[in-house]
Amino acid sequence: MIIRNKDFCLAHTFECGQCFRWNLQPDGSYIGVVQDKVIKIWEENGAVVTDCTDTGLIEQYFDLNRDYTPLKNTLRHDAILQAAIEYGYGIRLLKQQPWEALVSFIISANNNIPRIKKIIEALCRNFGSPLQDGYYSFPSASVLSKLTLEDLAVIKSGYRAGYILDAAKKVQCGDLDLEAVYAMHPDQARAYLKQVKGVGDKVADCILLFAYQKFAVFPKDVWIKRTLHRLYGLEERDFDTAVAEKFGALGGFAQQYLFYYERERS
DNA sequence: AGCCAGGACAAGT
DNA sequence: ACTTGTCATGGC
């Protein structure tokens, strides 16, 4: 499958912190797991090419039916974002699986990206289903809900293990309906997700943006807080209103460009 | 060696 | 409602 899209850069999309299961290979390609498929993807002659034959899956996952050019042009009216967009051109917001995003961003709390990736990898290797070439699916809530803290010790997630089990049990028993979140408004959805232990505002917002495509949501982590203060001169109590005024419905895209810009620049 | 990590939580003002 | 200490582990 060949994807011709001028607003699609694999490195920027995979390295901007929204996902944790894509890895750069020695030949320059990326390999990752989406649902039950191991996918290889690379750039060739100015296009993106993948060995995945499920066109619908690729289009949905990489948000290929959205034109990023107009939204970038809108955000460019902000001079700071102009630079951030120029730097992070080709970022696309992936449409990830809610359950995987929930667990992944629980693990992300007070953690660093290399270790987040290792913990998730261990989680999949130990409790997921084997796919091809030694890759594993992301373990289901059903499987994880039957584990104990001792079982989960192998992934070395520290105090987050209890949070993972809480999420799995709530999904398994039906207290947490991840499908229902699609139809919720962001504020309602955020409160709903926060019933899971280990899910606060920031983790919830990442899930809403990276799985549910709630693009107005603007997750505020330590990096973004530094950016908003350093580049925009904002104080924390003014973040929400300022972000809504400046970026509006495109807050999530703005956040991702700014996050990548701030992180790679340091 | 020591600080920090895409924070959340509980306990304390 | 705002501040502070703590949490498990390891990357840098």
Side-chain angles (χ1 to χ4, degrees):
Chain A
M1 176 178 178
I2 298 175
I3 304 155
R4 304 194 181 282
N5 190 319
K6 61 184 181 311
D7 295 311
F8 192 3
C9 169
L10 288 178
H12 292 171
T13 297
F14 291 142
E15 309 292 348
C16 69
Q18 62 179 320
C19 56
F20 304 103
R21 293 202 72 195
W22 287 95
N23 293 113
L24 181 61
Q25 305 302 120
D27 66 0
S29 68
Y30 282 87
I31 297 180
V33 177
V34 179
Q35 299 180 29
D36 60 344
K37 292 183 167 60
V38 180
I39 297 174
K40 181 178 177 117
I41 193 164
W42 63 96
E43 291 178 8
E44 190 176 311
N45 300 328
V48 173
V49 187
T50 176
D51 66 353
C52 179
T53 55
D54 189 339
T55 324
L57 177 70
I58 294 295
E59 285 179 357
Q60 178 175 268
Y61 184 76
F62 289 102
D63 198 26
L64 293 179
N65 293 325
R66 187 180 321 280
D67 188 355
Y68 278 57
T69 299
L71 73 88
K72 287 201 291 188
N73 287 338
T74 300
L75 291 174
R76 257 195 272 270
H77 292 125
D78 178 302
I80 296 165
L81 261 174
Q82 158 86 14
I85 290 172
E86 187 172 336
Y87 187 85
Y89 69 91
I91 288 178
R92 305 193 72 81
L93 288 190
L94 302 172
K95 180 174 168 57
Q96 303 182 58
Q97 294 294 107
W99 167 245
E100 177 171 343
L102 170 59
V103 176
S104 296
F105 283 97
I106 284 175
I107 292 170
S108 79
N110 193 26
N111 213 340
N112 56 66
I113 290 180
R115 193 164 82 102
I116 295 166
K117 294 181 72 166
K118 285 184 178 175
I119 292 170
I120 293 173
E121 177 59 30
L123 181 70
C124 295
R125 188 159 16 87
N126 281 280
F127 306 110
S129 302
L131 306 172
Q132 61 188 64
D133 304 328
Y135 290 90
Y136 290 82
S137 67
F138 195 92
S140 67
S142 170
V143 166
L144 294 187
S145 69
K146 297 171 180 61
L147 301 179
T148 65
L149 285 175
E150 294 74 49
D151 296 328
L152 264 186
V154 292
I155 71 171
K156 298 193 175 297
S157 62
Y159 58 85
R160 304 168 192 84
Y163 300 159
I164 296 170
L165 292 186
D166 181 61
K169 287 172 182 170
K170 283 193 164 82
V171 168
Q172 180 62 15
C173 76
D175 284 352
L176 189 70
D177 179 3
L178 291 178
E179 290 303 311
V181 177
Y182 284 107
M184 296 181 189
H185 291 288
D187 290 338
Q188 181 193 3
R190 183 181 301 109
Y192 185 74
L193 290 174
K194 282 172 69 176
Q195 73 180 283
V196 178
K197 291 176 190 167
V199 178
D201 287 328
K202 191 273 172 181
V203 167
D205 284 354
C206 283
I207 300 164
L208 294 178
L209 181 58
F210 300 136
Y212 292 102
Q213 297 189 308
K214 303 215 178 279
F215 294 124
V217 169
F218 190 103
K220 287 168 283 290
D221 63 284
V222 290
W223 296 90
I224 277 294
K225 289 178 180 175
R226 276 198 282 267
T227 304
L228 292 179
H229 183 73
R230 192 173 62 80
L231 265 40
Y232 289 91
L234 291 167
E235 298 302 328
E236 190 146 355
R237 62 174 203 281
D238 302 321
F239 282 176
D240 285 331
T241 51
V243 161
E245 284 179 13
K246 289 178 183 298
F247 313 128
L250 301 178
F253 297 101
Q255 193 272 0
Q256 209 53 20
Y257 290 118
L258 290 172
F259 176 81
Y260 188 60
Y261 188 49
E262 176 74 17
R263 266 190 58 91
E264 296 294 311
R265 210 189 44 73
S266 59

